[in-house]
Amino acid sequence: MLARLRGGAYSQGVSEPDDTPEPPAQALEPVSGADAVRRGWIVPAIIGSGLLMQTLNATVITNALPAMADAFGVDPLRLNLAITMYLLASAVFLPVSGWAADRFGAKRIFMAAMVLYALSSAACGFAQTLPQLLAARFLQGMAGAMMGPVGRLVLLRTTPKSELVGAMSVLTMPALLGPVIGPVIGGAIVTFADWRWIFFMNLPVAVAGVALVRAFVPNVKEQAVSPIDGLGILLTGAGLAALIFGFENLGRSFLPPGVVAGLFIGGFLSLGLYWRHARGNPHAIIDLSIFRLPTFQAATVGGAFMRVAMGANPFLLAMLLQVGFGLSAFAAGTMTFISAVGALLMKTTAPPILRRFGFRTVLLANALVVAASFAAYGLFRPSTPHWIIMSVLAVGGFFRSLQFTSLNGMAYAEVGQERMSRASTTASMVQQLVQSIGIGLAAALLHFLMRSRGETELTWQAVSPAFPIVGAITLVSALWFVRLPRDAGDEMNARRG
């Protein structure tokens, strides 16, 4: 059961979207009226709908795995290949997304990715054998790798920095719903309909999304593009794929320990070779010099510790509520849905909070609150009233969402327009990797806690201590936040003084 619950959305590395821009000189000054409404609400919401399709599909597949295995006549654990195939395709094609957006236009690539995601979803729904499903999932992962960073890039290039925090808050609202309502929808589809509808439901979303993008999203002009870095794409793709696959199998028995160790060695070796390849190479697919910018480094490297915890949290909650407390998947998904309420409420309050206190103060203070909220989950017991659990989850959702909005809003404050596509791609790659690290860490941590208690079956007593440990990991991010100047990122939220 541990492997089955672990195999879903969170293993796919879906994370909360990152976004913030350096505007082109052309027509990106603040405006009012219909253009301001379109830029501040309509365009981010349309782009967010594409991300919703991706995150929702990533989560609903979890509850469908046993039914899918029965339909294909295979062991349910073999269906983990469907998750792995998505991850590998995503890792391989993430590095090329920024270059493709520069070469062919971000809006055009975003629409093409939505169409491909819908077609590959339909292919998943019509698959009659496991190999057919795996091939369709590979195409779906490729489309997802292009959709996320390119969608954010469209927003980055069409929104002034002073309006970006608000626009990002709107963009992430739909995407945040996916991981929360996914288990509920997935459980309902599997229970009352056919598992194939978890893929077919993407089709109307994609059709509406493409039509709305064509009608409302500004045409983002193609940028001056460097020659494609084939060797860089190969090294980063292979390195990310190996590391993600390694972390996916950390603490599990599907692969021999030697193979898992080999994946880590190969992954780090590939990324090390890329580091040598990229030094002084102006055409490198990933611009490593961007990490010298304090705000990007703090948001991406420091924020990685927050995202590790975010990757671990849904898995740990599923283990606690379903395995430890004995709740059904549908009941647990319904209970955790309340965290979306806190997250969505934050989206309306984040811009004024950041304008009042600034990014540095918010990130430092909120890191303590987020760590405390994770630790509080470890106090849940089978006898804890459900309304108390839901209240704590709602508060935790609010402050975690505030932290990610702050990180996403500050990341591109010092990034020039000519480097925006590479910055967006780099941030997406880091998020993909650390999300998988979080899941692998959570699984390994649970195995360690079980053994330390001398248990062979997972209990809530073994799961509870994992939450304060994960909470403590988030505090490491403060080492980057404390070094930021007090006015870091102020131009992103029009803050003065």
Side-chain angles (χ1 to χ4, degrees):
M1 177 154 185
L2 187 70
R4 182 184 305 168
L5 284 170
R6 188 171 170 234
Y10 311 110
S11 340
Q12 294 189 18
V14 175
S15 61
E16 179 175 352
D18 240 346
D19 306 293
T20 356
E22 170 97 14
Q26 63 206 54
L28 281 188
E29 295 302 317
V31 295
S32 59
D35 287 340
V37 172
R38 183 181 73 169
R39 202 160 64 191
W41 285 91
I42 297 177
V43 171
I46 292 172
I47 297 174
S49 68
L51 302 180
L52 170 63
M53 179 173 61
Q54 184 180 0
T55 58
L56 181 61
N57 188 257
T59 50
V60 298
I61 195 175
T62 307
N63 290 333
L65 290 180
M68 293 166 65
D70 184 64
F72 295 134
V74 299
D75 188 292
L77 295 182
R78 288 193 64 192
L79 261 295
N80 189 66
L81 290 172
I83 308 300
T84 302
M85 193 60 68
Y86 185 101
L87 275 171
L88 294 179
S90 182
V92 169
F93 285 94
L94 261 176
V96 78
S97 61
W99 179 89
D102 286 344
R103 174 65 180 83
F104 301 104
K107 177 179 176 179
R108 185 179 304 157
I109 292 296
F110 183 67
M111 289 193 297
M114 291 188 73
V115 171
L116 179 58
Y117 198 89
L119 293 176
S120 57
S121 296
C124 289
F126 286 118
Q128 300 299 314
T129 65
L130 183 58
Q132 290 176 6
L133 176 68
L134 296 181
R137 286 288 287 172
F138 185 88
L139 292 176
Q140 204 178 33
M142 180 176 69
M146 304 297 286
M147 193 187 310
V150 174
R152 291 195 298 272
L153 186 59
V154 171
L155 193 69
L156 292 174
R157 287 181 173 162
T158 57
T159 309
K161 283 188 175 181
S162 59
E163 300 176 11
L164 202 80
V165 171
M168 283 190 309
S169 296
V170 176
L171 178 140
T172 54
M173 283 182 186
L176 277 173
L177 285 176
V180 180
I181 67 176
V184 180
I185 294 178
I189 288 176
V190 173
T191 302
F192 304 112
D194 188 278
W195 64 265
R196 297 179 186 275
W197 283 99
I198 69 174
F199 298 108
F200 293 150
M201 69 179 183
N202 289 331
L203 301 182
V205 178
V207 171
V210 170
L212 291 171
V213 168
R214 290 192 63 184
F216 293 101
V217 175
N219 186 31
V220 182
K221 293 184 177 180
E222 300 168 19
Q223 306 291 305
V225 61
S226 302
I228 189 166
D229 180 16
L231 178 59
I233 292 173
L234 177 64
L235 290 174
T236 53
L240 279 178
L243 290 179
I244 289 172
F245 197 31
F247 281 115
E248 280 293 300
N249 286 277
L250 192 64
R252 304 172 68 176
S253 57
F254 291 148
L255 293 177
V259 174
V260 176
L263 287 171
F264 283 116
I265 293 172
F268 284 117
L269 179 61
S270 294
L271 294 183
L273 290 173
Y274 176 78
W275 178 76
R276 290 192 59 184
H277 162 76
R279 291 172 60 190
N281 183 352
H283 305 308
I285 194 70
I286 300 298
D287 182 6
L288 298 181
S289 68
I290 203 168
F291 285 100
R292 298 172 188 164
L293 303 176
T295 50
F296 186 85
Q297 182 186 114
T300 307
V301 181
F305 294 93
M306 286 285 174
R307 291 188 168 90
V308 165
M310 190 62 181
N313 182 60
F315 173 60
L316 292 176
L317 276 177
M319 296 299 103
L320 182 68
L321 297 178
Q322 296 184 44
V323 180
F325 293 175
L327 298 178
S328 68
F330 185 79
T334 303
M335 184 178 296
T336 56
F337 174 81
I338 192 64
S339 64
V341 177
L344 292 176
L345 177 63
M346 182 286 309
K347 293 303 178 184
T348 63
T349 59
I353 290 175
L354 289 169
R355 279 193 295 270
R356 173 65 179 84
F357 298 103
F359 282 100
R360 180 180 181 273
T361 300
V362 170
L363 287 171
L364 280 171
N366 202 45
L368 299 174
V369 179
V370 169
S373 71
F374 278 120
Y377 298 167
L379 300 177
F380 295 159
R381 299 292 182 265
S383 59
T384 304
H386 287 186
W387 70 267
I388 292 181
I389 294 177
M390 294 172 71
S391 298
V392 176
L393 291 176
V395 172
F398 177 93
F399 287 104
R400 283 198 307 276
S401 193
L402 174 60
Q403 196 75 349
F404 287 126
T405 297
S406 303
L407 290 170
N408 297 340
M410 184 184 68
Y412 305 94
E414 299 174 278
V415 179
Q417 178 64 24
E418 72 284 353
R419 306 167 79 186
M420 195 61 71
S421 62
R422 294 185 180 184
S424 178
T425 301
T426 303
S428 297
M429 291 173 61
V430 173
Q431 290 178 38
Q432 183 94 340
L433 180 60
V434 299
Q435 196 86 345
S436 296
I437 291 174
I439 301 165
L441 173 66
L445 188 57
L446 290 186
H447 280 281
F448 171 79
L449 292 171
M450 284 174 57
R451 291 188 177 184
S452 67
R453 293 178 54 84
E455 298 174 349
T456 57
E457 294 290 334
L458 191 64
T459 62
W460 67 264
Q461 291 92 337
V463 180
S464 293
F467 289 102
I469 295 174
V470 168
I473 291 174
T474 67
L475 293 176
V476 179
S477 62
L479 297 177
W480 279 265
F481 303 155
V482 74
R483 294 181 298 191
L484 290 170
R486 292 189 177 275
D487 61 350
D490 278 357
E491 64 269 39
M492 306 304 294
N493 55 18
R495 183 172 184 260
R496 293 177 176 83

mmCIF file of all heavy atoms in Angstrom, residues 433-465:
data_model
loop_
_atom_site.group_PDB
_atom_site.id
_atom_site.type_symbol
_atom_site.label_atom_id
_atom_site.label_comp_id
_atom_site.label_asym_id
_atom_site.label_seq_id
_atom_site.Cartn_x
_atom_site.Cartn_y
_atom_site.Cartn_z
ATOM 1 N N LEU A 433 13.396 18.621 -9.532
ATOM 2 C CA LEU A 433 14.333 17.759 -8.823
ATOM 3 C C LEU A 433 14.045 17.720 -7.328
ATOM 4 O O LEU A 433 13.961 16.646 -6.729
ATOM 5 C CB LEU A 433 15.762 18.242 -9.081
ATOM 6 C CG LEU A 433 16.877 17.445 -8.393
ATOM 7 C CD1 LEU A 433 16.861 15.991 -8.840
ATOM 8 C CD2 LEU A 433 18.234 18.083 -8.694
ATOM 9 N N VAL A 434 13.875 18.895 -6.709
ATOM 10 C CA VAL A 434 13.711 18.910 -5.260
ATOM 11 C C VAL A 434 12.364 18.325 -4.832
ATOM 12 O O VAL A 434 12.236 17.788 -3.726
ATOM 13 C CB VAL A 434 13.878 20.334 -4.690
ATOM 14 C CG1 VAL A 434 15.264 20.869 -4.978
ATOM 15 C CG2 VAL A 434 12.820 21.291 -5.222
ATOM 16 N N GLN A 435 11.348 18.406 -5.699
ATOM 17 C CA GLN A 435 10.082 17.769 -5.372
ATOM 18 C C GLN A 435 10.268 16.258 -5.263
ATOM 19 O O GLN A 435 9.732 15.617 -4.356
ATOM 20 C CB GLN A 435 9.044 18.093 -6.449
ATOM 21 C CG GLN A 435 7.613 17.810 -6.021
ATOM 22 C CD GLN A 435 7.009 18.979 -5.273
ATOM 23 O OE1 GLN A 435 7.725 19.877 -4.833
ATOM 24 N NE2 GLN A 435 5.711 18.979 -5.113
ATOM 25 N N SER A 436 11.028 15.678 -6.184
ATOM 26 C CA SER A 436 11.307 14.251 -6.116
ATOM 27 C C SER A 436 12.172 13.913 -4.912
ATOM 28 O O SER A 436 12.009 12.859 -4.287
ATOM 29 C CB SER A 436 12.001 13.795 -7.401
ATOM 30 O OG SER A 436 11.153 13.948 -8.506
ATOM 31 N N ILE A 437 13.121 14.813 -4.582
ATOM 32 C CA ILE A 437 13.932 14.604 -3.390
ATOM 33 C C ILE A 437 13.040 14.525 -2.157
ATOM 34 O O ILE A 437 13.229 13.673 -1.277
ATOM 35 C CB ILE A 437 14.967 15.732 -3.233
ATOM 36 C CG1 ILE A 437 16.023 15.635 -4.334
ATOM 37 C CG2 ILE A 437 15.641 15.665 -1.866
ATOM 38 C CD1 ILE A 437 17.005 16.797 -4.349
ATOM 39 N N GLY A 438 12.040 15.401 -2.099
ATOM 40 C CA GLY A 438 11.138 15.409 -0.947
ATOM 41 C C GLY A 438 10.398 14.097 -0.786
ATOM 42 O O GLY A 438 10.265 13.576 0.328
ATOM 43 N N ILE A 439 9.924 13.538 -1.891
ATOM 44 C CA ILE A 439 9.187 12.270 -1.827
ATOM 45 C C ILE A 439 10.116 11.137 -1.418
ATOM 46 O O ILE A 439 9.782 10.308 -0.566
ATOM 47 C CB ILE A 439 8.523 11.971 -3.178
ATOM 48 C CG1 ILE A 439 7.560 13.096 -3.550
ATOM 49 C CG2 ILE A 439 7.770 10.648 -3.134
ATOM 50 C CD1 ILE A 439 7.132 13.068 -4.989
ATOM 51 N N GLY A 440 11.305 11.086 -2.030
ATOM 52 C CA GLY A 440 12.260 10.050 -1.659
ATOM 53 C C GLY A 440 12.690 10.170 -0.214
ATOM 54 O O GLY A 440 12.823 9.160 0.498
ATOM 55 N N LEU A 441 12.912 11.407 0.245
ATOM 56 C CA LEU A 441 13.288 11.634 1.629
ATOM 57 C C LEU A 441 12.191 11.155 2.574
ATOM 58 O O LEU A 441 12.463 10.517 3.602
ATOM 59 C CB LEU A 441 13.572 13.114 1.858
ATOM 60 C CG LEU A 441 13.813 13.542 3.304
ATOM 61 C CD1 LEU A 441 15.101 12.922 3.822
ATOM 62 C CD2 LEU A 441 13.874 15.063 3.414
ATOM 63 N N ALA A 442 10.935 11.459 2.239
ATOM 64 C CA ALA A 442 9.826 11.057 3.095
ATOM 65 C C ALA A 442 9.742 9.543 3.207
ATOM 66 O O ALA A 442 9.551 8.997 4.313
ATOM 67 C CB ALA A 442 8.514 11.623 2.550
ATOM 68 N N ALA A 443 9.875 8.841 2.075
ATOM 69 C CA ALA A 443 9.803 7.380 2.102
ATOM 70 C C ALA A 443 10.950 6.787 2.916
ATOM 71 O O ALA A 443 10.743 5.883 3.732
ATOM 72 C CB ALA A 443 9.819 6.833 0.680
ATOM 73 N N ALA A 444 12.175 7.299 2.681
ATOM 74 C CA ALA A 444 13.320 6.796 3.431
ATOM 75 C C ALA A 444 13.174 7.097 4.922
ATOM 76 O O ALA A 444 13.517 6.260 5.779
ATOM 77 C CB ALA A 444 14.607 7.418 2.889
ATOM 78 N N LEU A 445 12.652 8.255 5.246
ATOM 79 C CA LEU A 445 12.459 8.641 6.639
ATOM 80 C C LEU A 445 11.464 7.719 7.338
ATOM 81 O O LEU A 445 11.674 7.302 8.493
ATOM 82 C CB LEU A 445 11.980 10.095 6.703
ATOM 83 C CG LEU A 445 11.888 10.759 8.080
ATOM 84 C CD1 LEU A 445 13.226 10.722 8.792
ATOM 85 C CD2 LEU A 445 11.403 12.202 7.919
ATOM 86 N N LEU A 446 10.384 7.378 6.651
ATOM 87 C CA LEU A 446 9.394 6.481 7.247
ATOM 88 C C LEU A 446 9.981 5.086 7.486
ATOM 89 O O LEU A 446 9.707 4.459 8.518
ATOM 90 C CB LEU A 446 8.156 6.396 6.357
ATOM 91 C CG LEU A 446 7.284 7.647 6.287
ATOM 92 C CD1 LEU A 446 6.015 7.373 5.482
ATOM 93 C CD2 LEU A 446 6.926 8.154 7.676
ATOM 94 N N HIS A 447 10.773 4.614 6.538
ATOM 95 C CA HIS A 447 11.417 3.309 6.733
ATOM 96 C C HIS A 447 12.356 3.339 7.933
ATOM 97 O O HIS A 447 12.406 2.389 8.736
ATOM 98 C CB HIS A 447 12.176 2.900 5.470
ATOM 99 C CG HIS A 447 11.320 2.320 4.401
ATOM 100 N ND1 HIS A 447 10.874 1.016 4.423
ATOM 101 C CD2 HIS A 447 10.804 2.860 3.274
ATOM 102 C CE1 HIS A 447 10.126 0.779 3.358
ATOM 103 N NE2 HIS A 447 10.067 1.883 2.645
ATOM 104 N N PHE A 448 13.103 4.417 8.079
ATOM 105 C CA PHE A 448 14.010 4.545 9.222
ATOM 106 C C PHE A 448 13.232 4.592 10.533
ATOM 107 O O PHE A 448 13.607 3.921 11.515
ATOM 108 C CB PHE A 448 14.858 5.810 9.066
ATOM 109 C CG PHE A 448 15.672 6.136 10.293
ATOM 110 C CD1 PHE A 448 16.856 5.463 10.555
ATOM 111 C CD2 PHE A 448 15.247 7.122 11.189
ATOM 112 C CE1 PHE A 448 17.604 5.756 11.694
ATOM 113 C CE2 PHE A 448 15.984 7.420 12.323
ATOM 114 C CZ PHE A 448 17.173 6.736 12.573
ATOM 115 N N LEU A 449 12.155 5.362 10.576
ATOM 116 C CA LEU A 449 11.362 5.473 11.802
ATOM 117 C C LEU A 449 10.690 4.148 12.152
ATOM 118 O O LEU A 449 10.570 3.789 13.330
ATOM 119 C CB LEU A 449 10.315 6.577 11.646
ATOM 120 C CG LEU A 449 10.872 8.007 11.557
ATOM 121 C CD1 LEU A 449 9.774 8.996 11.185
ATOM 122 C CD2 LEU A 449 11.518 8.413 12.882
ATOM 123 N N MET A 450 10.231 3.409 11.129
ATOM 124 C CA MET A 450 9.643 2.092 11.383
ATOM 125 C C MET A 450 10.672 1.149 12.002
ATOM 126 O O MET A 450 10.393 0.446 12.981
ATOM 127 C CB MET A 450 9.104 1.499 10.081
ATOM 128 C CG MET A 450 7.803 2.081 9.590
ATOM 129 S SD MET A 450 7.351 1.434 7.949
ATOM 130 C CE MET A 450 7.339 -0.335 8.282
ATOM 131 N N ARG A 451 11.867 1.136 11.427
ATOM 132 C CA ARG A 451 12.894 0.233 11.943
ATOM 133 C C ARG A 451 13.328 0.624 13.341
ATOM 134 O O ARG A 451 13.605 -0.236 14.180
ATOM 135 C CB ARG A 451 14.097 0.223 10.997
ATOM 136 C CG ARG A 451 13.813 -0.440 9.654
ATOM 137 C CD ARG A 451 15.086 -0.605 8.845
ATOM 138 N NE ARG A 451 14.841 -1.307 7.600
ATOM 139 C CZ ARG A 451 15.787 -1.657 6.747
ATOM 140 N NH1 ARG A 451 17.055 -1.368 7.015
ATOM 141 N NH2 ARG A 451 15.483 -2.303 5.633
ATOM 142 N N SER A 452 13.419 1.922 13.599
ATOM 143 C CA SER A 452 13.830 2.365 14.928
ATOM 144 C C SER A 452 12.813 1.967 15.992
ATOM 145 O O SER A 452 13.164 1.818 17.167
ATOM 146 C CB SER A 452 14.025 3.889 14.939
ATOM 147 O OG SER A 452 12.788 4.562 14.748
ATOM 148 N N ARG A 453 11.563 1.780 15.589
ATOM 149 C CA ARG A 453 10.527 1.338 16.511
ATOM 150 C C ARG A 453 10.359 -0.185 16.491
ATOM 151 O O ARG A 453 9.529 -0.722 17.229
ATOM 152 C CB ARG A 453 9.191 1.990 16.138
ATOM 153 C CG ARG A 453 9.161 3.508 16.346
ATOM 154 C CD ARG A 453 7.822 4.076 15.898
ATOM 155 N NE ARG A 453 6.700 3.404 16.556
ATOM 156 C CZ ARG A 453 6.227 3.726 17.763
ATOM 157 N NH1 ARG A 453 6.790 4.730 18.436
ATOM 158 N NH2 ARG A 453 5.212 3.071 18.285
ATOM 159 N N GLY A 454 11.123 -0.865 15.652
ATOM 160 C CA GLY A 454 11.010 -2.306 15.566
ATOM 161 C C GLY A 454 9.710 -2.779 14.951
ATOM 162 O O GLY A 454 9.245 -3.893 15.242
ATOM 163 N N GLU A 455 9.112 -1.959 14.067
ATOM 164 C CA GLU A 455 7.827 -2.281 13.459
ATOM 165 C C GLU A 455 8.026 -2.802 12.035
ATOM 166 O O GLU A 455 8.981 -2.423 11.349
ATOM 167 C CB GLU A 455 6.915 -1.055 13.434
ATOM 168 C CG GLU A 455 6.575 -0.524 14.816
ATOM 169 C CD GLU A 455 5.786 0.784 14.756
ATOM 170 O OE1 GLU A 455 5.707 1.370 13.644
ATOM 171 O OE2 GLU A 455 5.264 1.207 15.794
ATOM 172 N N THR A 456 7.133 -3.671 11.618
ATOM 173 C CA THR A 456 7.136 -4.160 10.238
ATOM 174 C C THR A 456 5.992 -3.565 9.431
ATOM 175 O O THR A 456 5.990 -3.642 8.196
ATOM 176 C CB THR A 456 7.028 -5.692 10.217
ATOM 177 O OG1 THR A 456 5.839 -6.100 10.912
ATOM 178 C CG2 THR A 456 8.249 -6.328 10.884
ATOM 179 N N GLU A 457 5.015 -2.979 10.094
ATOM 180 C CA GLU A 457 3.890 -2.323 9.437
ATOM 181 C C GLU A 457 3.873 -0.854 9.845
ATOM 182 O O GLU A 457 4.175 -0.510 10.995
ATOM 183 C CB GLU A 457 2.559 -2.986 9.825
ATOM 184 C CG GLU A 457 2.420 -4.413 9.335
ATOM 185 C CD GLU A 457 2.246 -4.501 7.834
ATOM 186 O OE1 GLU A 457 1.748 -3.516 7.236
ATOM 187 O OE2 GLU A 457 2.622 -5.534 7.245
ATOM 188 N N LEU A 458 3.515 0.000 8.902
ATOM 189 C CA LEU A 458 3.502 1.429 9.168
ATOM 190 C C LEU A 458 2.357 1.791 10.102
ATOM 191 O O LEU A 458 1.212 1.378 9.899
ATOM 192 C CB LEU A 458 3.361 2.204 7.855
ATOM 193 C CG LEU A 458 3.592 3.709 7.924
ATOM 194 C CD1 LEU A 458 5.029 4.013 8.322
ATOM 195 C CD2 LEU A 458 3.282 4.358 6.580
ATOM 196 N N THR A 459 2.652 2.562 11.141
ATOM 197 C CA THR A 459 1.647 3.024 12.093
ATOM 198 C C THR A 459 1.728 4.545 12.201
ATOM 199 O O THR A 459 2.718 5.159 11.784
ATOM 200 C CB THR A 459 1.874 2.420 13.484
ATOM 201 O OG1 THR A 459 3.153 2.854 13.987
ATOM 202 C CG2 THR A 459 1.856 0.890 13.419
ATOM 203 N N TRP A 460 0.707 5.141 12.787
ATOM 204 C CA TRP A 460 0.725 6.594 12.917
ATOM 205 C C TRP A 460 1.833 7.041 13.865
ATOM 206 O O TRP A 460 2.366 8.147 13.736
ATOM 207 C CB TRP A 460 -0.630 7.119 13.372
ATOM 208 C CG TRP A 460 -1.049 6.743 14.773
ATOM 209 C CD1 TRP A 460 -1.840 5.705 15.151
ATOM 210 C CD2 TRP A 460 -0.701 7.440 15.984
ATOM 211 N NE1 TRP A 460 -2.009 5.694 16.521
ATOM 212 C CE2 TRP A 460 -1.340 6.756 17.044
ATOM 213 C CE3 TRP A 460 0.065 8.558 16.264
ATOM 214 C CZ2 TRP A 460 -1.203 7.150 18.380
ATOM 215 C CZ3 TRP A 460 0.198 8.970 17.588
ATOM 216 C CH2 TRP A 460 -0.436 8.265 18.632
ATOM 217 N N GLN A 461 2.221 6.172 14.818
ATOM 218 C CA GLN A 461 3.303 6.536 15.738
ATOM 219 C C GLN A 461 4.634 6.679 15.010
ATOM 220 O O GLN A 461 5.493 7.459 15.431
ATOM 221 C CB GLN A 461 3.441 5.475 16.844
ATOM 222 C CG GLN A 461 2.282 5.437 17.825
ATOM 223 C CD GLN A 461 1.206 4.449 17.425
ATOM 224 O OE1 GLN A 461 1.088 4.098 16.245
ATOM 225 N NE2 GLN A 461 0.432 3.985 18.391
ATOM 226 N N ALA A 462 4.796 5.936 13.892
ATOM 227 C CA ALA A 462 6.027 6.057 13.110
ATOM 228 C C ALA A 462 5.983 7.252 12.167
ATOM 229 O O ALA A 462 7.017 7.840 11.848
ATOM 230 C CB ALA A 462 6.265 4.769 12.317
ATOM 231 N N VAL A 463 4.783 7.620 11.728
ATOM 232 C CA VAL A 463 4.665 8.721 10.775
ATOM 233 C C VAL A 463 4.782 10.077 11.476
ATOM 234 O O VAL A 463 5.414 11.007 10.946
ATOM 235 C CB VAL A 463 3.329 8.638 10.015
ATOM 236 C CG1 VAL A 463 3.205 9.799 9.024
ATOM 237 C CG2 VAL A 463 3.204 7.310 9.282
ATOM 238 N N SER A 464 4.196 10.215 12.645
ATOM 239 C CA SER A 464 4.110 11.521 13.319
ATOM 240 C C SER A 464 5.454 12.214 13.489
ATOM 241 O O SER A 464 5.571 13.430 13.235
ATOM 242 C CB SER A 464 3.416 11.361 14.673
ATOM 243 O OG SER A 464 2.064 11.013 14.505
ATOM 244 N N PRO A 465 6.535 11.521 13.926
ATOM 245 C CA PRO A 465 7.815 12.234 14.099
ATOM 246 C C PRO A 465 8.399 12.783 12.801
ATOM 247 O O PRO A 465 9.280 13.650 12.843
ATOM 248 C CB PRO A 465 8.734 11.152 14.695
ATOM 249 C CG PRO A 465 7.828 10.127 15.264
ATOM 250 C CD PRO A 465 6.628 10.123 14.382
#
